[in-house]
Amino acid sequence: MRYLPLAFSVVLALAPFGISAQESTEETGSEAQAEDQGEERRVRRLGDVLGEGSDEFSMDIPNIAVPAEPVEDVPQVTLPDPEQDQRLQMLLRTRAFVPNDPDTEQAISDLLDEVEVDIRAALDEENFELAQQLAGVVREVEPEREIIAEVADAVERDATVGQWLEQAQAALEAGQLTAPPGANAVELFNQVLEAEPDNAEAQAGLVSTHQALLADAIAMARDDLDFEGAEARLVEAEEVREAPEAVTEARASIADFRTRYVEQLDSEVLAHIDEGRFEEAEDAITELVALGHDRNRIDALQASLTDARRYGSFQPGQVFSEQIERLGISGPQMVVVPAGSFMMGSPEDEEDRMANEGPQRRVTFDRGFAVALTEVTVGQFAEFVSDTGYRTDAEISGGSRVYDLESGRMDEEDDIHWRHDYSGEDADEDLPVIHISWRDASAYANWLSDQTGRTYRLPSEAEFEYALRAGSQAPYWWGNGSPPEDEVENVTGDGDVSPTGARWNVAFRRYTDDFWGPAPVATLQTNPFGLYDMSGNVMEWVDDCWHDSFVRAPSDGTAWVNPGCERRVIKGASWSSTPAMSRSAFRISSSTSSTDMRVGFRIVRDL
């Protein structure tokens, strides 16, 4: 058994209970009486120093030399554990009265070793408050111990980690998942884990950040249609933590949404085109390109849009007619003419050219348009008159010009109007209507527009010549000289013979169409655009006012109209036209109310 020094034994026995020497003497009876007065004063002095009060003190106290006052200050510290604190206080009082006692110092060191174990346990449990409390005691008693600095470092690290965690959580809540640098959730949580690899809050924070990145990627795809950004977000998520199943599921969800969105957008393009919303269709196609839609499909949609812009819902060359439901009849058959450009007028070196056919210029049609397959017939015009009671200019004026078969002259005759043919006889319903003024033709087009809800009108001069030429820049749509075969167009041919045996003085050589006067519409051949009688049968009214040249004429194919003009252009050849007058560039004019047995009209429709 180890024995403590006397001074330490006395302090150990008395200090915890505050027992004085006087009380000890009274309790020991005769033993106290045996002591002399000097010894009693010595013990009392020790009792005064250490305090009074304990019945448990029962050991012999020999004479010792105890200072009247502590040599050192007693540190004012306490330990939270009562037993440890009791020992600490005794040891500290002992050291205060008897400094540098080896046994006392060793006892203190042993006690602090226990406290150090408690400190490390507190640090392991992240009970930094307790660790700091215990380290404070150690600092006061034995300030050179390394555990003090370790606690300070741990507390500082905990404070820093706590700050990082707060910043990381705030960044997570603010959506700063991977940016800005140094202040995003991923960097901050990883910073914590570098300091504390097992930090549960940081690990959970990275899980939450990973989930937020996946949710962000899906939202970017579905809400913003930013599929590239969504994929970049998924790559970032893969770098945050290994959770391949979650990333694969998110990527599959985005891919499925993208497929469905592209299919929907493809359908919307067609719907926009059908409904004439071409700008919306163009935007949707651009978006499909950005989404990597099939290139062949993109080309097909773009072609559909281009055609729609040019032709509406029709195709070039398509023949159609619209119902006039109120009357239970069909409107004229129309042919979709392709968009394009041509040189209008005649070149200066063209034979039989007239000055008013130039200067030759390029005209471009960005949109297609529909031209009537044939001239308006007597039967079609009759439907208009029957429905409206309209009276033509010939009926109002009392007559029109006819061809006299006997004399070969073209003279004015009374009571001639749209119901008559070129010689003044009753006209068959399938003949082109003649004895029609520009005003009469415009009235028919306006009526047809009202009945169908579509825009019907007279063609512009450029539209008529473009449709007549049908891609040819030669003098005639069939080329140069006489038609290559009989019955191409109803114009003058040296083989034509009138009912009275007359022949043309000036005509196409070695050609006949077997008609003297207008032929029933659609009897002869079509030109390359699929149109009948564009350069023969009857001349036709167009919408343009007359100008002596094409200087300052529109280049987009629209009609050149001056308000209040009295003369309008007539285009195309007739059954009596000479080769010079049958040229595609040939043009004449007449007043808006004039009528003739060689002039009729056809209509166009905007697409």
Side-chain angles (χ1 to χ4, degrees):
M1 176 176 179
R2 180 183 179 191
Y3 291 91
L4 297 177
L6 176 61
F8 181 73
S9 301
V10 172
V11 174
L12 183 64
L14 299 179
F17 307 106
I19 300 177
S20 68
Q22 176 66 39
E23 291 169 337
S24 177
T25 301
E26 292 174 354
E27 292 175 0
T28 57
S30 62
E31 182 179 351
Q33 295 174 1
E35 299 291 339
D36 60 19
Q37 189 65 32
E39 290 174 341
E40 183 176 359
R41 282 199 299 272
R42 234 178 245 276
V43 174
R44 282 184 182 279
R45 180 62 58 87
L46 180 61
D48 291 341
V49 172
L50 300 180
E52 302 177 350
S54 176
D55 293 336
E56 297 179 8
F57 182 74
S58 61
M59 61 184 294
D60 295 334
I61 301 178
N63 290 330
I64 59 174
V66 179
E69 298 293 336
V71 177
E72 297 178 352
D73 292 334
V74 178
Q76 299 301 309
V77 293
T78 60
L79 291 171
D81 181 88
E83 187 275 331
Q84 286 182 333
D85 188 59
Q86 184 182 49
R87 289 164 56 196
L88 176 64
Q89 300 306 324
M90 288 190 299
L91 291 170
L92 292 178
R93 286 176 179 274
T94 300
R95 186 170 70 175
F97 281 89
V98 186
N100 301 318
D101 178 75
D103 292 331
T104 302
E105 295 300 327
Q106 182 62 49
I108 291 174
S109 179
D110 291 343
L111 177 58
L112 292 184
D113 286 344
E114 295 178 22
V115 173
E116 188 169 323
V117 171
D118 294 340
I119 290 174
R120 296 191 185 284
L123 291 177
D124 290 342
E125 296 172 0
E126 297 185 356
N127 188 345
F128 297 104
E129 182 178 357
L130 176 59
Q132 283 182 291
Q133 180 183 357
L134 297 176
V137 173
V138 174
R139 184 185 301 107
E140 291 295 326
V141 177
E142 192 176 314
E144 66 276 5
R145 280 199 174 239
E146 294 181 358
I147 191 64
I148 299 170
E150 292 180 23
V151 171
D153 290 344
V155 170
E156 182 179 1
R157 183 170 62 252
D158 179 66
T160 302
V161 166
Q163 184 179 11
W164 289 343
L165 286 171
E166 288 181 6
Q167 293 173 347
Q169 192 62 40
L172 176 59
E173 293 174 359
Q176 297 172 193
L177 306 180
T178 59
N184 62 77
V186 170
E187 286 188 40
L188 290 167
F189 283 129
N190 279 324
Q191 194 168 297
V192 171
L193 291 174
E194 287 179 8
E196 296 181 0
D198 296 327
N199 188 289
E201 188 174 350
Q203 292 172 343
L206 283 181
V207 171
S208 297
T209 304
H210 184 266
Q211 293 171 343
L213 284 168
L214 297 183
D216 201 16
I218 293 173
M220 291 174 74
R222 294 187 176 182
D223 299 339
D224 303 330
L225 304 177
D226 183 3
F227 295 101
E228 290 185 3
E231 177 57 28
R233 219 54 165 161
L234 292 178
V235 172
E236 289 176 336
E238 288 175 323
E239 295 173 351
V240 169
R241 63 187 293 264
E242 292 186 9
E245 292 184 1
V247 174
T248 299
E249 182 179 350
R251 187 170 276 123
S253 175
I254 291 172
D256 179 64
F257 172 80
R258 179 173 182 157
T259 298
R260 288 184 285 107
Y261 180 77
V262 166
E263 291 174 352
Q264 176 185 346
L265 197 59
D266 188 298
S267 299
E268 287 179 3
V269 170
L270 298 177
H272 291 326
I273 291 173
D274 289 343
E275 296 167 11
R277 298 195 300 270
F278 301 136
E279 294 303 321
E280 289 90 337
E282 184 68 50
D283 291 343
I285 290 175
T286 300
E287 188 174 351
L288 286 173
V289 172
L291 292 173
H293 197 28
D294 180 72
R295 185 69 252 179
N296 291 333
R297 181 57 179 167
I298 291 289
D299 291 343
L301 291 173
Q302 189 65 61
S304 297
L305 175 58
T306 300
D307 287 345
R309 279 176 163 159
R310 291 176 175 173
Y311 313 113
S313 59
F314 301 100
Q315 299 295 322
Q318 182 177 344
V319 179
F320 69 93
S321 63
E322 289 169 312
Q323 285 293 113
I324 303 177
E325 295 182 0
R326 186 175 63 83
L327 302 179
I329 60 175
S330 296
Q333 285 188 299
M334 310 297 294
V335 179
V336 178
V337 172
S341 66
F342 79 114
M343 295 300 294
M344 183 174 177
S346 58
E348 293 184 0
D349 60 353
E350 184 171 296
E351 187 177 357
D352 297 319
R353 179 182 188 269
M354 301 183 70
N356 61 36
E357 297 170 11
Q360 195 176 33
R361 75 197 198 285
R362 180 164 293 282
V363 176
T364 299
F365 298 96
D366 292 328
R367 285 183 58 84
F369 53 95
V371 179
L373 181 66
T374 69
E375 298 123 338
V376 174
T377 66
V378 172
Q380 289 168 336
F381 198 80
E383 293 168 342
F384 157 61
V385 172
S386 174
D387 185 49
T388 63
Y390 180 84
R391 295 188 69 218
T392 63
D393 280 328
E395 290 173 299
I396 294 171
S397 66
S400 182
R401 287 168 50 115
V402 297
Y403 178 82
D404 188 329
L405 290 172
E406 295 297 329
S407 66
R409 295 170 58 87
M410 300 179 184
D411 293 321
E412 190 80 20
E413 186 172 328
D414 294 340
D415 298 326
I416 298 298
H417 50 74
W418 65 272
R419 295 184 184 275
H420 297 99
D421 67 9
Y422 77 107
S423 64
E425 301 295 325
D426 290 342
D428 294 334
E429 287 192 349
D430 58 356
L431 286 172
V433 65
I434 53 178
H435 308 298
I436 292 294
S437 70
W438 179 90
R439 190 182 71 88
D440 300 333
S442 296
Y444 175 86
N446 292 337
W447 169 78
L448 195 58
S449 296
D450 292 340
Q451 301 310 306
T452 62
R454 303 293 183 177
T455 301
Y456 286 88
R457 54 181 174 77
L458 294 179
S460 69
E461 182 178 2
E463 287 172 334
F464 191 97
E465 186 171 330
Y466 176 70
L468 185 161
R469 288 181 178 277
S472 171
Q473 289 298 145
Y476 312 101
W477 65 256
W478 58 79
N480 295 292
S482 298
E485 56 185 289
D486 291 346
E487 300 178 356
V488 170
E489 283 280 14
N490 183 9
V491 291
T492 58
D494 58 9
D496 292 341
V497 180
S498 76
T500 58
R503 292 179 179 271
W504 300 112
N505 292 326
V506 181
F508 286 102
R509 297 181 60 190
R510 293 184 296 278
Y511 177 74
T512 182
D513 52 52
D514 291 332
F515 286 97
W516 194 278
V521 298
T523 300
L524 305 182
Q525 295 183 22
T526 63
N527 73 0
F529 280 174
L531 301 169
Y532 288 102
D533 304 319
M534 289 297 294
S535 189
N537 219 29
V538 296
M539 294 185 289
E540 302 178 28
W541 288 108
V542 297
D543 205 27
D544 297 57
C545 295
W546 175 258
H547 297 85
D548 291 334
S549 74
F550 293 141
V551 175
R552 296 187 299 277
S555 62
D556 61 357
T558 55
W560 190 6
V561 177
N562 307 110
C565 68
E566 293 295 328
R567 300 187 69 80
R568 300 283 175 156
V569 177
I570 296 173
K571 286 288 290 182
S574 75
W575 54 275
S576 64
S577 294
T578 65
M581 296 174 63
S582 299
R583 290 177 303 108
S584 299
F586 182 76
R587 58 198 293 264
I588 59 173
S589 70
S590 189
S591 68
T592 58
S593 60
S594 68
T595 61
D596 192 274
M597 73 293 183
R598 295 167 297 179
V599 180
F601 73 101
R602 77 179 67 213
I603 54 174
V604 301
R605 176 192 182 279
D606 291 334
L607 300 179

